[in-house]
């Protein structure tokens, strides 16, 4: 009797182990599929600018008697595509460092209004597109202890997106700061056409693009924002029902703790 109950215990232990092995195996298969999908997306993103660079450099090399203005035009395309490649590689590298958790934070004391000022300057400087930014500066005077450069990077991405996707004729971005349940949140709401409900949950994924005609970047900006905010102990979410697109950045309630 004792022997048979021992056997039963052993057999259920074996089934548990077999189940765990099967689960681990399924997880490995899933990781491998994700890696394949990621690699194929990266190759696709790299191929497009590489193809232009190759084609236009061949024209420059092989065509006799090109007009100077055509030469300049082709060289500009090559230059812009090379810049796009560099940005893509920088973003991929940044994302992989953030995802690996190996990123070291540089905590400093600062103020939210100053971080927003700098982010607006760097997102809008040198841009030919106009953007009317509405702010209520008195609500932004909040002391922070955080990685201010990383937080600024999140703001820059959201401002640059608002500029890209807002109403082209009357481009407006409203930035507002609120206290939501004791947590400071910064809302970025533009007056573009927003993101359709069915796509709102996927825009933070890598290479997410809602509409191909509007595609400007590779779709890594929001994925980077999400990773940074997780590292800073806060988060970034989509705010539905705002008319245009709305993004909410929730700062960590305790920035010092978030960095540990
Ligand atoms: P991208 O470099 O393509 O802008 P992001 O990760 O920053 O990549 O954004 C992913 C996608 O989310 C964009 O391609 C765009 O379709 C959508 N999106 C982001 N911000 C906005 C916005 N303010 N208004 C409308 N769509 C947006």
């Amino acid at each position: 009797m004792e022997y048979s109950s021992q056997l039963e215990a052993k057999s259920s232990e074996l089934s548990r182990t077999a189940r765990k092995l099967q689960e681990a195996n399924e997880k490995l298969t899933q990781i491998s599929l994700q890696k394949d999908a990621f690699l194929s997306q990266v190759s696709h993103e790299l191929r497009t600018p590489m193809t232009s660079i190759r084609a236009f450099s061949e024209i420059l090399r092989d065509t006799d008697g090109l007009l100077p203005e055509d030469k300049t035009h082709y060289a500009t395309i090559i230059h812009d595509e090379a810049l796009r490649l560099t940005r893509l590689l920088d973003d991929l590298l940044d994302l992989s460092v953030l995802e690996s958790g190996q990123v070291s934070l540089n905590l400093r004391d600062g103020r939210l209004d100053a971080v927003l000022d700098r982010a607006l300057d760097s997102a809008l400087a040198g841009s030919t597109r106009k953007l009317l930014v509405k702010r209520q500066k008195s609500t932004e005077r909040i002391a922070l202890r955080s990685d201010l450069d990383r937080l600024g990077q999140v703001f820059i991405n959201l401002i640059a997106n608002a500029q890209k996707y807002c109403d082209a004729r009357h481009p407006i971005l409203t930035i507002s700061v609120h206290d939501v349940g004791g947590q400071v949140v910064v809302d970025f709401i533009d007056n573009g056409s927003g993101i359709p409900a069915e796509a709102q949950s996927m825009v933070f994924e890598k290479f997410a693009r809602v509409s191909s005609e509007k595609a400007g970047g590779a779709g890594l900006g929001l994925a980077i924002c999400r990773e940074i905010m997780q590292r800073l102990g806060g988060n970034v979410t989509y705010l539905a029902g705002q008319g245009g697109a709305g993004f909410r950045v929730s700062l960590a309630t305790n920035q010092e703790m978030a960095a540990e």
Side-chain angles (χ1 to χ4, degrees), residues 157-158 161-162 164-166 190 193-195 203 205 208-211 214-223 245 247:
N157 264 319
L158 297 178
N161 275 353
K164 248 191 291 183
Y165 301 108
C166 67
D190 65 50
S193 49
I195 298 178
V203 287
E205 302 299 325
R209 277 193 200 115
V210 179
S211 135
K214 282 183 176 175
L220 292 175
L222 288 175
F247 288 91

Side-chain angles (χ1 to χ4, degrees), residues 10-51:
K10 272 274 169 256
S11 131
S12 65
E13 194 183 315
L14 269 177
S15 341
R16 268 200 306 277
T17 312
R19 232 184 357 257
K20 276 192 188 145
L21 271 175
Q22 196 187 344
E23 278 167 18
N25 203 13
E26 281 165 8
K27 200 156 197 163
L28 275 177
T29 313
Q30 198 192 349
I31 290 172
S32 163
L33 285 175
Q34 282 171 350
K35 203 184 83 195
D36 289 350
F38 177 71
L39 279 178
S40 99
Q41 278 164 324
V42 171
S43 339
H44 174 77
E45 294 298 332
L46 292 176
R47 188 166 300 130
T48 317
M50 288 305 279
T51 307

